[in-house]
Amino acid sequence: MRIKHQLLLTIFISLFTLKVRAQSDVAGAFTFATSQTSLMLIEVAKAKAQTTNNSLVVPRTLDKNGNLVLINSRDWCSGFFPGELWYLYEHTKDAKWLTEAKTYTAFIEQEKTNTTTHDLGFEIYCSFGNAYRLTQDPAYKAVIVQAAQSLIKRFNPVIGAIKSWDNVKIGKYPVIIDNMMNLELLFEATRLSGDSTFYKIAVTHANTTLKNHFRADNSSYHVINYDAETGKVVNKITAQGYADESAWARGQAWGLYGYTLCYRETKDKKYLQQAENIAKFILNDPNMPKDLIPYWDYNVPDKANQPHDVSAAAITASALYELGTYSVNGKSYTSTANKIVSNLSNYRAKEGESKGFLLLHSTGHLPAHSEIDVPIIYADYYYLEALTRKQRLHDHQPVIKQ
Ligand code: GLY
């Protein structure tokens, strides 16, 4: 009897210790993030003072000399830094972050009428979407709805998809897997405006992508080129991956996140199934390193000499926390997300260095020799989002605060 009691006590203490340790992981990561982001605000101010180009407003990465690269609001990455500031405010409730978040979000507003990019979801949802979620300020709501109106101008009903890029050599009507991320803006716009047009377009785009972007093993192509007149697929290729038939790491993460959010918004089981299929591909791929931080492409040869893509891991972790709340495999997804988040701490910048970026070793566009093995703002954004989700699940709250 006494042995049984001792055993139960040991199990209880171990579980309690694990829970406390998981908690201090999040607290420690946010302490690090607030310190680094305070530094980044100083570095952004310094970099702005050194340029005469007033449109350069938010940070994106570091150049080869370690200088901070500032971008304008048109850049697809413009919403991530404001979004990070919102996550810091959400976690700390500190008015300092609220003020900074409002300031940096305002820099992006002019993109609400931009019809030349499919990236409005990234730009406006990560900034204004988080702003509205946390403040309920109707001014933010209006920007989200207007941006969604701009985004749907790129929808072709014959194809059933939103066009990704204009004027590119690779095709007349390219649609990339990344575009699944922009659907979040459309779902939110229907909720906020009551106009179901946005929702219907998002669902049609998700269905077209489901039909054409995936291989038998549930990995996805990066780019599908369509014929705008007939709606037929012209070819299936890559732009940022190793090869047309390879699995570009960040693309798989975008797909996982995209179908998870489609299930959240529609409760259509085929999206849940697809998110689970993608998770299975990512997590069972023999090319996934033990620490779950992938190389930039799952199929690239000579892995020992290839850079990682930490951003793919951060996006995957955040998506798995949400998927874990919907799936029968939930516990396993949550535990995998915990492992990724914990391992990401091995890829952190040294405190006080790297101009305030949080994570090192992301790869933006290797075939274009651009942003290889560097800190990138979207890796930091999804890292903070994943940490926020981890904290909320620990506190028995819905994975996303609405
Ligand atoms: N197009 C977004 C990315 O590089 O992942």
Side-chain angles (χ1 to χ4, degrees):
M1 203 55 163
R2 182 184 285 172
I3 293 178
K4 199 173 162 191
H5 278 148
Q6 273 175 348
L7 189 65
L8 280 174
L9 189 65
T10 312
I11 291 172
F12 177 78
I13 291 171
S14 312
L15 286 176
F16 183 75
T17 313
L18 274 178
K19 205 164 175 166
V20 169
R21 196 177 300 149
Q23 207 38 26
S24 61
D25 276 1
V26 176
F30 268 101
T31 304
F32 167 75
T34 51
S35 155
Q36 284 297 92
T37 310
S38 297
L39 169 63
M40 183 165 269
L41 287 168
I42 295 168
E43 294 294 343
V44 168
K46 274 197 222 161
K48 279 185 183 172
Q50 282 162 11
T51 173
T52 50
N53 184 347
N54 291 335
S55 70
L56 299 177
V57 282
V58 282
R60 172 168 166 147
T61 184
L62 297 182
D63 69 15
K64 289 201 171 82
N65 300 317
N67 297 316
L68 191 62
V69 175
L70 293 183
I71 51 174
N72 61 29
S73 63
R74 282 182 93 81
D75 190 291
W76 80 272
C77 295
S78 65
F80 295 119
F81 188 59
E84 275 191 58
L85 297 167
W86 285 111
Y87 280 125
L88 291 181
Y89 169 60
E90 182 172 4
H91 184 81
T92 63
K93 312 281 185 298
D94 184 337
K96 163 186 166 167
W97 298 115
L98 176 63
T99 306
E100 298 292 356
K102 283 181 176 174
T103 303
Y104 278 84
T105 296
F107 292 149
I108 315 301
E109 178 167 349
Q110 59 194 350
E111 297 312 314
K112 67 188 177 189
T113 53
N114 185 354
T115 56
T116 67
T117 176
H118 74 141
D119 285 322
L120 280 185
F122 284 119
E123 294 166 25
I124 298 294
Y125 196 77
C126 299
S127 54
F128 283 86
N130 279 312
Y132 184 68
R133 185 174 64 81
L134 294 173
T135 66
Q136 302 292 300
D137 181 337
Y140 292 138
K141 178 168 152 174
V143 174
I144 293 168
V145 175
Q146 192 167 5
Q149 275 156 357
S150 302
L151 180 57
I152 60 170
K153 296 221 162 58
R154 301 179 66 79
F155 178 71
N156 176 327
V158 179
I159 296 168
I162 295 165
K163 189 180 184 186
S164 289
W165 297 321
D166 297 335
N167 308 319
V168 285
K169 284 197 192 123
I170 56 167
K172 290 205 177 108
Y173 203 104
V175 178
I176 65 175
I177 188 69
D178 325 24
N179 206 345
M180 286 298 299
M181 299 297 285
N182 295 305
L183 305 184
E184 203 165 17
L185 176 76
L186 300 185
F187 286 119
E188 176 73 344
T190 285
R191 209 176 5 263
L192 298 180
S193 67
D195 180 350
S196 62
T197 312
F198 308 113
Y199 182 103
K200 285 180 190 150
I201 288 176
V203 164
T204 306
H205 182 100
N207 291 343
T208 304
T209 302
L210 189 55
K211 192 163 135 223
N212 296 324
H213 254 86
F214 292 92
R215 306 184 182 99
D217 66 357
N218 294 304
S219 67
S220 90
Y221 288 93
H222 185 203
V223 188
I224 307 294
N225 277 309
Y226 290 94
D227 181 316
E229 273 75 50
T230 63
K232 291 208 172 107
V233 172
V234 175
N235 59 15
K236 302 188 176 198
I237 58 170
T238 197
Q240 283 164 259
Y242 164 67
D244 292 342
E245 289 299 330
S246 74
W248 173 50
R250 196 161 59 258
Q252 314 313 304
W254 291 143
L256 174 67
Y257 196 117
Y259 280 98
T260 302
L261 81 85
C262 284
Y263 178 69
R264 176 211 310 155
E265 298 292 347
T266 63
K267 295 291 170 253
D268 185 333
K269 284 269 182 341
K270 69 173 179 289
Y271 300 146
L272 176 61
Q273 181 65 57
Q274 188 58 19
E276 291 173 341
N277 291 345
I278 301 169
K280 196 165 167 190
F281 171 80
I282 294 175
L283 301 174
N284 294 342
D285 192 279
N287 297 308
M288 174 64 100
K290 279 208 172 56
D291 71 354
L292 302 174
I293 314 297
Y295 294 98
W296 68 280
D297 189 297
Y298 288 102
N299 304 111
V300 68
D302 189 24
K303 298 239 171 7
N305 294 311
Q306 297 295 328
H308 286 86
D309 183 11
V310 159
S311 74
I315 298 158
T316 300
S318 186
L320 288 177
Y321 278 126
E322 181 174 12
L323 184 58
T325 65
Y326 307 138
S327 169
V328 287
N329 310 320
K331 278 200 177 129
S332 140
Y333 292 143
T334 310
S335 127
T336 304
N338 285 340
K339 272 187 212 147
I340 297 174
V341 162
S342 166
N343 292 339
L344 281 172
S345 60
N346 300 326
Y347 292 79
R348 275 190 208 156
K350 284 210 180 92
E351 197 163 341
E353 294 186 8
S354 304
K355 308 283 185 199
F357 279 99
L358 308 181
L359 297 174
L360 308 176
H361 307 301
S362 288
T363 296
H365 191 157
L366 190 136
H369 311 289
S370 167
E371 298 179 332
I372 300 169
D373 198 12
V374 289
I376 295 187
I377 201 72
Y378 45 88
D380 292 0
Y381 173 87
Y382 288 101
Y383 181 47
L384 287 188
E385 185 180 85
L387 288 164
T388 303
R389 290 177 174 193
K390 181 175 178 176
Q391 176 75 49
R392 290 185 62 79
L393 292 175
H394 174 273
D395 295 342
H396 304 289
Q397 292 177 331
V399 66
I400 301 167
K401 174 181 161 58
Q402 291 300 346

